[in-house]
Amino acid sequence: MAEQPAQSAPCLLSVRDLVVDFRLDQGTIRAVENISLDLFAGRVLGVVGESGCGKSITARAILGIIDRPGRIVSGRVLLDPGTTRQLDLATLSNDSRELRSVRGGRIGLIFQEPMTALSNHYTVGNQIMEAVRAHKPKMTKPEARAKAVTLLGEVGIPNPDGRIDAYPFQLSGGLRQRVGIAMALAGDPDILIADEPTTALDVTTQAQILLLLRHLQRDKKIALMLITHDMGVIAQMADEVAVMYLGRVVEKAPVEHLFAAPRHPYTRALLRSVPNIHAKPRERLASIGGAVPHPARRPSGCSFHPRCPEVIAGRCAETEPAPVPAGADGAACFHAELTP
Amino acid sequence: MSNVLEVDALTKHFPIRSGLLHREVGRIRAVDSVSFHLGRGETLALVGESGCGKTTVARCLLRALAPTSGTIRFTPEGGREIDLAPLSRRQLRPLRRHMQMIFQDPYASLNPRMLVGDIIAEPMLVNGVPVADRQARVRELLELVGLPDTARTRFPFAFSGGQRQRIGIARALALTPSLIVADEPVSALDVSVQAQIINLLLDLQDRLRLSMIFVAHDLGVVRHVSDRVAVMYVGRIVETGPTTELYRQPLHPYTAALLASVPKPDPTQRDAAPPLAGDVADAGNVPKGCAFHPRCPHAQDLCRQVRPELLEVAPGRMSACHRARELTFAGVS
Amino acid sequence: MSQKSNSAGNGVGHAAGSEDRYAEATQLQLTWWRFKKHKLALLSLWIVAFFYLIAIFADVLAINDPQATDARRSYIPPQGIHLFDDGNFRPHVNGLKGTRDLKTFKLAYTPDPAKKLPVRLFARGYSYHLFGLIPTDIHVLGVEGGEAVDGLFLLGTDQLGRDLYSRLVVATRISLSIGLAGVGLSLLLGILLGGLSGLYGGIVDTVIQRVIEMVRSIPTIPLWMGLAAALPNTWSVTQVYFAITLIISLFGWTELARVVRGRFLALREEDFVIAAELAGASQLRIIFRHMLPSFASHVIAATSLALPAMIISETSLSFLGLGLRAPAISWGILLQDAQNVQVLAGAPWLLLAAVPVILVILAFNFLGDGLRDAADPYG
């Protein structure tokens, strides 16, 4: 297969063959199927895909916070794989003490809507202090407050000494997302999962938040899993990219390779269909026909084949291409197999 | 031929009330003296970040909101010019058929309790089009927007977001209006579906010579769809110009900052330049002078004191920046 | 683009095969499909329907004249029906022999095995008007012959020797219909005033809202007592019945008015309502074609939750002696007889009158919950 990304950096989290089902009255829906991902210290893994591709569910499965009726059916989520401290998060119960200490401790989570993690009834400082002390119970209140001020400063909130006593509703959307990031950093995580962190923000604020995330991730050698639907954000932020479609990884590659030579037809179509600020007047976009099918109606064979412009008759609809191997790059497409 | 729309000094203030007696304690200047025009067959994009007033302008144009002051002179195809701003609900009803809206949220904008055929036919029904004509027209419209004829007898929730947006477009086109206002019509859609709807809008523009106000925040989408662009910041237009020129060389620092903020889909060109600092000003407490001056890297004393007017800087190009003539802002090629 | 990534969680309304069925289903069908999944609510629906059937056919189901008194059969305990007589299926009850305890002066009844009174289906009994129209004397069950104490008293009798079962059945009619009438009146007031409030806003809204707040701030029990005391003694049972209905609904409408107003305000901002207005639709069309269908389901749910409150109101008023008065029969009046501890010690079966009250109130509450959950199939 393709080359391994250059790693001297240790792997902090390995997801292997993760399967997530949603059991509904009408039947079982497989939302995530055999996903394998690796997060390395100081590197950014971009996970990109359209709605219904399972990217958020993967993130939630890693943290054991999938909404009912979803559940992990099989697969492993290994923290510190290959070391003596290796821990399989998938085997832990969702509200076990171990998993709770990992959540918000080793692994921080940044939401699309920061108010998911914040309450309007407490000051920003109180909420960060609580998060800090949840993972360092011995810390005194003044110490926690000092730490909260430091965190607010780190995420670029002007005048953190004053803003620590503000309530979230007194802050702008951009500042709230910065507070959300400070919350995620409260437990000194070395892994951050950011689920569409800039989707709800304006373009100028998005640029600020992305820059902040990049600086934090580099300075603290954090492994960042960045989930987005925006190819522009991927290009600006990611080191490696996993492209998802209908619950599977269809292509995985270093970011330069992915943009220079995308190997899966879906990746190619996705790249071409992004509206471009360099476009000519009234320029048409190369669109993909149809819409993402409902996960309950996954097409046979390669699930992209009904929308694929390069479909091979008699093959793609019948047989499934080999999945992207765990820990390696590649594309789950017969074309990619033919031309290695 | 005259313009479809000539908007002059359009203003919409929302009072801030408080206390037991609901006394007015302040005003949100959502739209503050906005002027522009729209030629026949032209698409004008209103762009800006959230809270800049672009949606309020759109709703005032269609008189879903009553403007505080200003004029909206509208000339329907083959009709006479009329000022929409002072008209009452009753006076507006006969004019509604000439102007229609495409909504942002394809889920909220279709009545879930009505069949798709009835939804598309409703503008014709309330404007007195006979039954037989309505049915024929619904079929025609479904084909125009690329939906199967079977869609007529289904309820909206059987359709995906993109398909619903097609239904919304068909409804807007039903009476061949002279003016279409599209409020962020693709921003709620997935990338691949968004491209389909943009292409559909482009096709319809070519085939039907639509005159359209296109409200959007995505500068990529705007580049594909619009002929001219008006950039708004805190209730005012800060720059207008033809799309290509405006993107190539913006004449306002805010336009330049917007363009620079769009993440480039190219990993070899990672941003080194610091993004625009700070937040959009509060429309209830607009800074003195140029509203953009607290965030502007080029601000001078003049900018802090005197509000710049929107003036023609080059042919067809207008900018509300004191320094538009002396500075050169980076655009995209 | 917001919240697009919660893929499988949302939009999973239907599985692949039944897609067409759902796509063309009306709101009523969707609501019913969803309601059916709520098992407790479905059971409650049957219970409520059962009680209303009883109310409709109360006289047919009654065995003895609910008003007929006879001191010789005071406090008879519940009786069972013997199904077999010498191995043959011949349902009968034994006649009773009342002997007075000379110490307590209480009547004690012992069944007399020799005296067998056959139980008949569709037997003749006291005369009544079916649905208030058709004169008849047919009852589902009845016994033939015998003296005053010889009868079928399934749930026993009260102090005056009236058959509790028959009284309960007949009381169902008044108790359930007073709730329905009360809700009907509240609904009318609520929709009218709530609609005006939500539609016009401004001064109209402010005035109506203040009125609602005032009505809600009045403590109900003292006011009821005052109003009930004001009802002239000379009024007939029917007049009192309507007066009580009016009093109950005067307080019941506020909640519904708030629901209706809230829905109107919310719907006015909905895109599809704005779309209709921008299409040139008239105000009437917008209200009746777009707004009313969207919240009819909410109103139905609110109504079914308001009904038990009405029934409880009537029951408690009558229990306290402030509502209906004998000779009217309602659950509250029946429970009035069970107020005394001494009476209860001797005749605990009088408490059975509380069972239908509890059952109906619970059933209505579950039904209301189920309806509320199912009401908005697009939510």
Side-chain angles (χ1 to χ4, degrees), chain A residues 22 24-26 29 31 51-57 112 195-196 199 229 294 296-297, chain C residues 1-19 22 37:
Chain A
F22 278 76
L24 304 168
D25 298 346
Q26 297 91 342
I29 287 170
S51 57
C53 75
K55 53 193 193 298
S56 286
I57 294 174
Q112 171 177 334
D195 188 357
E196 304 263 10
T199 304
H229 66 274
H294 192 275
R297 273 164 289 167
Chain C
M1 281 179 236
S2 60
Q3 302 293 341
K4 288 202 298 97
S5 32
N6 305 339
S7 62
N10 53 37
V12 185
H14 44 80
S18 54
E19 187 207 359
Y22 277 87
K37 280 194 222 151

Side-chain angles (χ1 to χ4, degrees), chain A residues 5-7 38 40 43-47 238-242 253-255 329:
Chain A
Q7 286 126 34
D38 295 296
F40 298 96
R43 295 184 74 80
V44 181
L45 172 72
V47 178
D239 296 308
E240 282 88 38
V241 186
V255 68
D329 294 335

Side-chain angles (χ1 to χ4, degrees), chain B residues 54-87:
Chain B
K54 56 190 192 297
T55 295
T56 311
V57 170
R59 303 227 156 184
C60 283
L61 293 183
L62 291 177
R63 284 301 316 277
L65 286 173
T68 308
S69 64
T71 57
I72 305 165
R73 290 197 300 280
F74 172 57
T75 315
E77 190 95 41
R80 262 189 307 170
E81 185 183 273
I82 186 163
D83 182 7
L84 300 176
L87 297 187

Side-chain angles (χ1 to χ4, degrees), chain A residues 201-245:
Chain A
L201 303 174
D202 275 316
V203 63
T204 55
T205 319
Q206 164 171 286
Q208 296 169 5
I209 297 291
L210 291 180
L211 190 72
L212 168 68
L213 277 178
R214 189 177 320 141
H215 283 317
L216 285 173
Q217 170 265 330
R218 277 188 195 154
D219 297 348
K220 294 177 180 269
K221 296 264 178 289
I222 286 174
L224 174 65
M225 176 171 168
L226 179 68
I227 295 166
T228 178
H229 66 274
D230 188 332
M231 276 294 188
V233 171
I234 289 287
Q236 291 300 312
M237 298 289 293
D239 296 308
E240 282 88 38
V241 186
V243 182
M244 288 186 68
Y245 188 75

